[in-house]
Amino acid sequence: MTPTNSRRERPAKPALSREWIIAETIAIARRDGLDRATMRRVAQALDTGQSSLYVYVANTAELHTAVLDELVGSALPESGAPVASGAWRSDLEALLASYADVLFAFPGLARAALVLTPTGPNMLRLHDRLIGLMIDGGIEPARAAWGATLLVQNVTASAAEHSTPTSTDIDAPGDPDADWSALTDAVRSADPAVAPHLAAQADAVLSGTPAQRSTWMIGVLLAGIASTPVPGGTIS
Amino acid sequence: MTPTNSRRERPAKPALSREWIIAETIAIARRDGLDRATMRRVAQALDTGQSSLYVYVANTAELHTAVLDELVGSALPESGAPVASGAWRSDLEALLASYADVLFAFPGLARAALVLTPTGPNMLRLHDRLIGLMIDGGIEPARAAWGATLLVQNVTASAAEHSTPTSTDIDAPGDPDADWSALTDAVRSADPAVAPHLAAQADAVLSGTPAQRSTWMIGVLLAGIASTPVPGGTIS
DNA sequence: ACCTGAACACCGTTCAAGT
DNA sequence: ACCTGAACACCGTTCAAGT
């Protein structure tokens, strides 16, 4: 209502707040990738000075962590419906898949997640659900507790490998196509004298779709978690 | 011998070359962290213009990848001594430990490794050794081939979590102490109503030394790899 | 308390020009 | 072919000054 003549016909400059900053960062990240969602750009989009952001967020890393947490929150299914016995495993896979979907949906998010320390409430809820589902599956609680980290870490890492880099840049570092072909070339041209096993297994190394590898990976982790006791020895 | 009056009494400016650039980058990374080993700083240390580096390296990511590969190469034991039967497992653990040591020795390297696509010859040799040792251990070759990636990825990720950030900056993002205490706080203060399993397992989640977790992690991966068939079905 | 402009101290990469 | 300086297009963060 106040007759502020905001630039560019913005629908009236909203009051600055942590929530608004995060929302705008998400908007930019969706469009241009998280790498482009810099303090300066976010400030500009909010029609304010970059220094103003520091009233609400500590620094870029903290802002990006908050963005990750917010997005994970929006992907988490509402509070856990009771798990039909036997369904824990497919529920767990679905949960990890929706986490992976978020990472894929925002260019640059997976790579950032790899390097951020995610302590937001939604990330904790994700861990909580994973632990709960593993316990439902008969996995010893202490192993489930450690295992959740392992699951999240691996899903994040494989999303980072296959997700879009940051934008429309040609040959951006981290371009998955370029990376993949660099890898195939390297493996295919491995010298059997220096890397005999790799040369012999080249087809195996390069085989499988991302989905197949991801399914296998989760299977590996769950089987390993179920069969490997945590040190200190609770009754297994 | 030529009487070039190089600045600052440098011991005679050596000819620029890819090797020299990598060596200087390593020197800077050891001292100040890989994040500080920027094109500009490397050029300055070599007493040349930053644009000159682009004759020998494509960009920063490629340079850092080369540095990682070089360092991994220096840590790899000489060509595999024949493995005493039964020793494959401790050999494999030792191999991963020396890889982890490299990541710990250079501030910022582990975090960078997480995000680089490592296609250098020494990284391939590391994979080769891992595959060979797993095959020695009776693991089906196709699983060993996929498993090597998983092992390297997890060791890299846990090194990144616990390794020094880039320098002497106070509270640098990625400071492992700050990150850890943020995590403990978050887990300890988890609301039992919203994250019941996490709250119940808080002690378990936070327990264990890095070494214990790392040993457990490798155990999980190996057990899982050994028991989880790759899709497509080779005779297991 | 909140917000701002300006400054400080950096980045990666390209390019016209030189040798 | 190799090397250079200078430029272009950015960064994160801080700080004195305003309201």
Side-chain angles (χ1 to χ4, degrees), chain B residues 4-165:
Chain B
T4 49
N5 44 358
S6 49
R7 296 167 182 263
R8 294 178 173 275
E9 309 231 6
R10 284 200 150 267
K13 186 173 163 178
L16 216 49
S17 71
R18 183 167 231 268
E19 285 69 34
W20 244 95
I21 292 171
I22 292 173
E24 190 65 51
T25 309
I26 290 175
I28 296 172
R30 189 193 313 273
R31 225 182 16 252
D32 304 322
L34 188 64
D35 293 354
R36 296 265 199 263
T38 63
M39 288 293 191
R40 290 174 120 101
R41 276 183 145 85
V42 171
Q44 197 166 39
L46 291 168
D47 199 15
T48 186
Q50 58 259 40
S51 40
S52 306
L53 302 183
Y54 288 86
V55 176
Y56 304 97
V57 299
N59 51 46
T60 307
E62 200 236 341
L63 174 57
H64 286 184
T65 303
V67 162
L68 172 64
D69 200 70
E70 184 65 26
L71 293 172
V72 167
S74 69
L76 240 41
E78 260 324 291
S79 97
V83 177
S85 87
W88 70 276
R89 170 105 191 213
S90 58
D91 279 18
L92 189 147
E93 277 165 15
L95 188 56
L96 290 175
S98 49
Y99 172 61
D101 285 347
V102 170
L103 297 182
F104 279 112
F106 293 79
L109 184 60
R111 267 164 197 269
L114 223 36
V115 135
L116 297 171
T117 307
T119 45
N122 292 313
M123 214 65 193
L124 293 183
R125 288 209 299 149
L126 173 61
H127 277 81
D128 179 72
R129 300 283 175 88
L130 291 171
I131 294 171
L133 287 167
M134 283 188 269
I135 292 176
D136 286 349
I139 291 173
E140 190 215 342
R143 299 185 204 181
W146 281 20
T149 311
L150 226 46
L151 286 166
V152 172
Q153 189 160 84
N154 279 275
V155 170
T156 308
S158 51
E161 253 178 287
H162 301 292
S163 77
T164 334

Side-chain angles (χ1 to χ4, degrees), chain A residues 121-167:
Chain A
N122 292 312
M123 215 64 192
L124 292 183
R125 288 207 301 147
L126 173 62
H127 277 82
D128 180 72
R129 301 283 176 88
L130 291 171
I131 294 171
L133 287 167
M134 283 188 271
I135 292 175
D136 287 348
I139 292 174
E140 190 215 342
R143 298 185 204 181
W146 282 20
T149 310
L150 226 45
L151 286 166
V152 172
Q153 189 160 82
N154 279 275
V155 170
T156 308
S158 52
E161 255 179 283
H162 300 292
S163 77
T164 334
T166 211
S167 89

Side-chain angles (χ1 to χ4, degrees), chain B residues 139-199:
Chain B
I139 291 173
E140 190 215 342
R143 299 185 204 181
W146 281 20
T149 311
L150 226 46
L151 286 166
V152 172
Q153 189 160 84
N154 279 275
V155 170
T156 308
S158 51
E161 253 178 287
H162 301 292
S163 77
T164 334
T166 211
S167 92
T168 53
D169 286 355
I170 297 172
D171 254 17
D175 172 31
D177 287 348
D179 285 358
W180 177 251
S181 78
L183 192 69
T184 47
D185 287 0
V187 172
R188 292 248 172 261
S189 66
D191 180 353
V194 64
H197 305 292
L198 192 70

Side-chain angles (χ1 to χ4, degrees), chain A residues 13 15-16 40 47-52 55-56 173:
Chain A
K13 186 172 164 178
L16 215 48
R40 291 173 118 101
D47 200 14
T48 185
Q50 59 258 40
S51 40
S52 307
V55 175
Y56 304 96

